[in-house]
Amino acid sequence: IAVHQQMEYLHQILDQVRTEAGKVIIGQRDALDQALITILAGGHALVEGVPGIAKTMLVRTLAHLLGCEFQRVQFTHDLAPKSITGTHIYNEQAGVYELVKGPLFSGFLLADEINRAPAITQAALLQAMQERRVTIDRQTYALSPNFCVFATQNPVESVGVYPLPEAQKDRFLLKIVMGYPSQDEEQLLAARTLTRDAPEILLDLGIVQPLLTEERLVQLREALSGITVPKTILRYIVELVRVTRNHTSVKVGAGPRATQALVLTSRAHAALSGRTEVGAEDVRAMALPCLEHRLILKPDFEEKGLTCAETVHHVVSSVPTP
């Protein structure tokens, strides 16, 4: 009974978050769900979309609703590690060095245009993502247990950017692709822009209220343990990932971290759908955002115009559903 009640509460809260976020974010339902799944599974996400598509607004809204501090950093070619980690400043009155914390000491960090930053800054970010700790002047500090990075990439920009190394992309649980809104959604956005219902105003005036605190978010994540993953589904996930390594168009397939990501995100997807057991439909829904950014295609297939997304769809259709 306790587990059943816990699942009911989990689904109720997630439904409320979706509803409240929908007041601010017009459209982008899949992106919203995938961002929530990233947070529930305790991971980080790459967010890809053209400028002005509400990437920042999406993360800022979720941080507000879930009771977490939000920080945004514009990544540039001259961004130093201490600009995100923080540094020690000497306090003359006290006669001691004091830590001035950087944006990494937040709940949700939006790393805007992450592929513009140099390798040394990327390394500082990677430690925080992997260990939820940060080292400053040889001292290591713990970050929030809810620490979550949403890193944006502009898919059409190529000047002054560095392609992310495969090992770094593999650290991201999901790749969230945000497309243009539909005509009706854009019409609604245009109409609301001139009113008090404009997305920015709704957040700034506090009309949309937080639903959780940082402590309750940790408990919400722990409640996912009540959702079961059958052995047949685990075998299905392993088979899907292993097929990417032998696909004719793939040079480098998904590694074991992709298997873990697919297990965790499929469980979170089941929670979002109000189910207490993971099914094949959850795995299929998460296959593309989990696997797309982890594949490297062979050059001759890339030249023919094949995409990683098409390859993932082919893999999913080729593996028998349990």
Side-chain angles (χ1 to χ4, degrees):
I1 296 174
V3 172
H4 176 71
Q5 288 176 338
Q6 201 173 35
M7 290 301 99
E8 289 239 337
Y9 169 72
L10 178 66
H11 183 59
Q12 181 185 2
I13 286 292
L14 292 176
D15 218 33
Q16 287 177 359
V17 171
R18 274 167 148 179
T19 301
E20 290 298 303
K23 295 177 182 177
V24 180
I25 307 298
I26 299 171
Q28 303 292 359
R29 182 62 182 262
D30 287 345
L32 173 60
D33 283 356
Q34 288 171 16
L36 271 173
I37 286 167
T38 301
I39 295 164
L40 281 175
H44 313 281
L46 271 173
V47 187
E48 191 171 280
V50 297
I53 211 74
K55 301 186 291 291
T56 300
M57 186 59 67
L58 172 66
V59 182
R60 185 182 163 203
T61 300
L62 284 176
H64 176 74
L65 289 172
L66 299 175
C68 294
E69 184 187 353
F70 168 76
Q71 292 280 350
R72 175 186 172 277
V73 177
Q74 181 67 49
F75 277 50
T76 58
H77 69 280
D78 57 351
L79 187 73
K82 66 180 181 182
S83 298
I84 62 171
T85 61
T87 188
H88 289 99
I89 302 293
Y90 186 70
N91 185 328
E92 291 186 5
Q93 291 181 335
V96 294
Y97 281 92
E98 295 179 344
L99 175 64
V100 178
K101 295 180 178 179
L104 287 182
F105 289 87
S106 60
F108 289 6
L109 175 70
L110 182 72
D112 223 347
E113 295 190 291
I114 186 176
N115 47 352
R116 288 191 182 278
I120 191 169
T121 305
Q122 301 278 10
L125 183 64
L126 271 177
Q127 184 198 12
M129 290 171 57
Q130 183 68 19
E131 304 173 16
R132 283 189 170 80
R133 293 185 299 172
V134 62
T135 301
I136 305 169
D137 298 331
R138 299 184 183 178
Q139 293 186 43
T140 301
Y141 301 90
L143 300 179
S144 164
N146 295 318
F147 177 69
C148 181
V149 174
F150 287 90
T152 72
Q153 288 192 121
N154 182 342
V156 297
E157 193 73 55
S158 59
V159 178
V161 300
Y162 307 87
L164 292 182
E166 301 310 315
Q168 184 170 358
K169 287 198 286 188
D170 194 40
R171 293 294 199 286
F172 288 99
L173 194 69
L174 295 182
K175 178 183 175 182
I176 302 172
V177 178
M178 296 181 70
Y180 288 113
S182 67
Q183 184 169 345
D184 289 343
E185 290 166 352
E186 199 158 0
Q187 188 78 30
L188 177 59
L189 175 62
R192 284 175 51 178
T193 298
L194 301 175
T195 70
R196 288 171 61 86
D197 288 333
E200 297 84 356
I201 293 176
L202 286 174
L203 274 182
D204 292 339
L205 294 182
I207 295 172
V208 178
Q209 294 296 320
L211 297 171
L212 292 176
T213 61
E214 287 216 27
E215 293 75 19
R216 288 181 67 193
L217 179 56
V218 173
Q219 294 169 2
L220 197 70
R221 193 178 290 125
E222 291 171 349
L224 287 177
S225 60
I227 296 175
T228 57
V229 186
K231 289 184 178 179
T232 53
I233 295 299
L234 288 175
R235 280 196 294 269
Y236 179 50
I237 289 172
V238 170
E239 182 66 17
L240 275 176
V241 175
R242 293 183 70 85
V243 166
T244 68
R245 301 168 195 167
N246 303 312
H247 197 275
T248 52
S249 66
V250 176
K251 179 182 177 182
V252 179
R257 194 179 278 118
T259 305
Q260 294 177 301
L262 205 44
V263 171
L264 292 169
T265 57
S266 296
R267 185 174 67 169
H269 187 273
L272 213 57
S273 305
R275 292 190 297 274
T276 57
E277 184 175 281
V278 177
E281 63 269 35
D282 299 305
V283 180
R284 287 196 299 269
M286 299 315 303
L288 180 62
C290 263
L291 300 176
E292 180 187 3
H293 61 294
R294 290 182 160 97
L295 303 184
I296 302 177
L297 298 183
K298 294 176 181 175
D300 50 334
F301 283 93
E302 279 190 309
E303 289 170 6
K304 293 175 184 176
L306 185 71
T307 64
C308 290
E310 291 170 333
T311 303
V312 173
H313 287 307
H314 185 265
V315 167
V316 172
S317 63
S318 69
V319 177
T321 305

